[in-house]
């Protein structure tokens, strides 16, 4: 553990210190500005209070005997104590504004400040969904204008704006497919999903009541067209295909897949979460797709994770558009954008589109994530069509730069399948000494990076999926590559110090399986020997 390894790396702070106990090197447990922070329940007690309230004056009890009889058990802290607690915790977060976020399949893009400025304008930020429609015409224009862009960029016919995340959008698309099949009296039971699919795809199909069947991949990492066509038949409602797929590759046979599915009477759902790689270059409508969700929080730069809610509009083909959810916006001949709601929806559809309404229902109470619509439209308008096209090109260039800069030290399973799209896929093949993808990922924390996506896609053993996005500079990518190269060399040489990484973090190796399987989410008081584990015991080092 103490000898410098081949790459010259040495866990200096760790020398001579018992594993995972070096937080005791200082009296406080703090190390410089990396502050130890206990749980709020451990800092405050319910015997103290941060505010001085006068004793309530005796008066008639109007609670009908429902008044609390026992203490509520909240820690009493003053305002500065509370603010310090949460500020300290917030500094332990990694964020897109702090450094590169290489998570593949998540598209962690920079969130331009212009988006935030526009979203905070009172005319957008201070309105309420229950306001009279006449007082929110501008907001409806924003929704409709964004809808127009999404339709134009995808070459589709309509768009459902209300879904609130990618997975929510998938459900919306599958419900449209089900409604269309039911309308023609042809309920079908099976949805085909490639084995490399994002986990939300089979989950969505199953949630909507379908039986999910896997389609195998070719050795190239793409959907096996022959196996897919062989399985098509009168029981197949549709397919769900991610394009570009989760191996970071473009599905070249997409049009042939769509034609075969349509010929067999099914519909094609495309998981469009990876649209960032092809915006301005390919229109999914031209590939025969019937429904595709777009993650505004990925491709169109609205914040996600801790930074904000998702938003997953679903673009629809002409065949599926009539079945989309309510409410939706539509501009009538007089130039006014309407919010088409339940009471008038059928009348409206007949009058303006000459068709009865066949909507499957609603996806959300109101019209979707307004704050995200404002941000996404700002992003789109500030880039323009040419700027969006350049963003997808730069994203793909960055991913290929990472792929080709590291494929001599990291195994690239589909490195021979041509250039990748927006994400580079590696595996742990060639690591020595029992070291795994997990060890390399933990080492990234010591190097100051958020780990990449690990063990996904499932079709690749020890997968590492890296998506650098278009806004990272060459210098930033070179820094990431330098860190990954050093870690890869350590992993290949069997450097066992990697097993203990991260060393330079508030917590080290946690029992992640236990934390996921048996999360302790409530405070049960301080630990007693052999008693209920407390949060601090489970999450502590
Ligand atoms: C992110 C993602 C999803 C799910 O989107 P959420 O907004 O997280 O629900 C689905 N498919 C793929 C390929 C994704 O990357």
């Amino acid at each position: 553990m103490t000898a410098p390894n081949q790459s010259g790396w040495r866990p200096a702070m760790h020398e001579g210190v018992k594993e995972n106990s070096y937080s005791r090197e200082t009296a406080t447990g703090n190390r410089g500005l990396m502050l130890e922070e206990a749980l709020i329940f451990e800092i405050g007690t319910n015997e103290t209070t941060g505010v001085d309230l006068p004793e309530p004056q005796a008066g008639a009890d109007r609670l009908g005997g429902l008044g609390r009889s026992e203490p509520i058990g909240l820690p009493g802290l003053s305002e500065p104590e509370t603010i310090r607690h949460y500020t300290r915790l917030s500094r332990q977060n990694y964020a897109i504004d702090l450094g590169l976020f290489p998570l593949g399949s998540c598209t962690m893009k920079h969130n331009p400040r212009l988006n935030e400025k526009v979203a905070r304008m009172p005319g957008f930020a201070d309105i309420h969904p229950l306001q009279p429609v006449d007082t929110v015409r501008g907001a409806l224009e924003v929704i409709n204008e964004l809808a127009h862009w999404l339709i134009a960029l995808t070459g589709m016919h309509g768009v459902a704006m209300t879904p609130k995340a990618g997975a929510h959008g998938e459900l919306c698309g599958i419900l449209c497919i089900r409604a269309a099949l039911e309308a023609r009296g042809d309920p079908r039971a099976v949805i085909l999903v490639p084995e490399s699919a994002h986990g939300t795809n089979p989950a969505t199909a199953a949630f909507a009541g379908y039986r999910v069947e896997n389609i195998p991949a070719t050795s190239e990492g793409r959907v096996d067209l022959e196996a897919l066509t062989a399985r098509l038949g009168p029981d197949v409602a549709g397919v769900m295909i991610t394009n570009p797929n989760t191996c970071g590759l473009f599905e070249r046979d997409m049009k042939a897949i769509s034609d075969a599915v349509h010929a067999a009477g099914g519909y094609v759902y495309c998981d469009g979460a990876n649209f960032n790689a092809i915006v301005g270059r390919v229109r999914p409508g031209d590939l025969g797709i019937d429904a595709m969700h777009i993650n505004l929080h990925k491709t169109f730069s609205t914040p996600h994770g801790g930074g904000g809610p998702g938003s997953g509009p679903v673009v629809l083909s002409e065949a599926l558009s009539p079945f989309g959810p309510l409410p939706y916006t539509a501009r009538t001949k007089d130039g006014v954008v309407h919010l088409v709601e339940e009471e008038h929806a059928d009348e409206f559809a007949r009058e303006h589109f000459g068709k009865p309404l066949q909507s499957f229902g609603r996806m959300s109470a109101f019209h979707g994530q307004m704050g995200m619509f404002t941000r996404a439209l700002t992003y789109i308008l500030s880039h323009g069509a040419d700027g969006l096209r350049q963003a997808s090109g730069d994203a793909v260039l960055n991913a290929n730069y990472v792929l080709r800069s590291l494929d001599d030290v990291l195994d690239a399973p589909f490195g021979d399948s041509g250039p990748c799209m927006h994400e580079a896929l590696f595996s742990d093949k060639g690591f020595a000494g029992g070291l795994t993808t997990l060890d390399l990922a933990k080492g990234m924390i010591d190097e100051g990076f958020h780990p990449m996506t690990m063990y996904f896609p499932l079709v690749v053993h020890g997968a590492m999926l890296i998506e650098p996005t278009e806004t990272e500079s060459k210098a930033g990518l070179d820094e990431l590559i330098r860190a990954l190269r050093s870690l890869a060399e350590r992993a290949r040489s069997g450097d066992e110090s990697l097993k203990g990484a991260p060393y330079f973090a508030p917590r080290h190796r946690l029992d992640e399986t236990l934390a996921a399987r048996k999360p302790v989410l409530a405070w049960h008081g301080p630990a007693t020997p052999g008693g209920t584990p407390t949060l601090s015991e489970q999450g502590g080092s």
Side-chain angles (χ1 to χ4, degrees), residues 105 165-167 170 198 200-201 242 246 271 273-274 293 295 297-298:
S105 201
E170 288 173 31
H198 193 269
T200 49
N201 295 184
T242 305
T246 51
D271 180 330
N274 294 338
H293 73 266
N295 295 52
H297 49 292
K298 294 180 180 171

Side-chain angles (χ1 to χ4, degrees), residues 40-329:
I40 197 164
F41 293 97
E42 296 168 325
I43 306 170
T45 71
N46 52 31
E47 265 87 67
T48 59
T49 165
V51 284
D52 292 324
L53 292 176
E55 277 299 310
Q57 296 190 352
D61 178 356
R62 284 182 289 172
L63 296 176
L66 296 174
R68 190 183 299 283
S69 55
E70 296 192 2
I72 191 168
L74 289 177
L77 291 175
S78 68
E79 180 173 316
E81 285 170 327
T82 310
I83 286 178
R84 278 190 188 151
H85 172 70
Y86 288 108
T87 304
R88 287 175 176 198
L89 290 183
S90 75
R91 289 168 44 137
Q92 295 179 2
N93 264 349
Y94 193 88
I96 194 70
D97 291 340
L98 201 63
L100 192 151
F101 229 104
L103 279 177
S105 201
C106 287
T107 312
M108 301 299 292
K109 283 172 75 137
H110 170 62
N111 313 131
R113 288 305 176 271
L114 180 61
N115 297 0
E116 300 304 316
K117 188 173 171 184
V118 174
R120 281 166 175 72
M121 288 166 70
F124 296 129
D126 294 348
I127 53 176
H128 190 280
L130 292 177
Q131 254 173 261
V133 167
D134 270 336
T135 65
V136 292
R137 291 283 171 210
L140 295 185
E141 281 286 342
V142 165
I143 301 176
N144 207 62
E145 177 78 9
L146 176 61
H148 167 80
W149 270 94
L150 298 180
I151 288 171
L153 285 168
T154 55
M156 299 287 274
H157 189 264
V159 58
M161 298 298 286
T162 57
K164 294 185 170 179
H168 205 209
E170 288 173 31
L171 182 62
C172 174
I174 294 297
L175 291 178
C176 287
I177 290 175
R178 196 171 75 182
L181 286 168
E182 280 171 359
R184 69 176 199 221
D186 181 12
R188 296 172 171 222
V190 177
I191 296 267
L192 303 180
V193 178
E195 56 186 17
S196 67
H198 193 269
T200 49
N201 295 184
T204 296
F207 190 73
Y210 287 102
R211 199 168 77 238
V212 178
E213 282 185 31
N214 270 334
I215 323 167
T218 61
S219 57
E220 252 203 331
R222 295 185 166 91
V223 172
D224 186 335
L225 178 61
E226 250 173 65
L228 176 106
T229 29
R231 178 57 191 87
L232 290 171
D235 60 336
V236 174
V239 296
M240 291 183 88
I241 291 182
T242 305
N243 200 10
N245 71 23
T246 51
C247 296
L249 303 172
F250 188 74
E251 294 288 356
R252 294 192 195 116
D253 291 331
M254 198 63 223
K255 185 74 175 73
I257 292 172
S258 301
D259 290 347
V261 173
H262 290 152
Y267 290 97
V268 180
Y269 187 90
C270 178
D271 180 330
N274 294 338
F275 195 44
N276 201 48
I278 56 172
V279 180
R281 288 159 200 278
V282 182
R283 298 192 314 164
D286 298 335
L287 301 176
I289 283 151
D290 291 296
M292 179 180 99
H293 73 266
I294 297 168
N295 295 52
L296 298 186
H297 49 292
K298 294 180 180 171
T299 309
F300 295 105
S301 86
T302 71
H304 62 133
S311 181
V314 181
V315 285
L316 298 166
S317 62
E318 193 165 2
L320 289 188
S321 286
F323 303 96
L326 290 169
Y328 62 92
T329 59

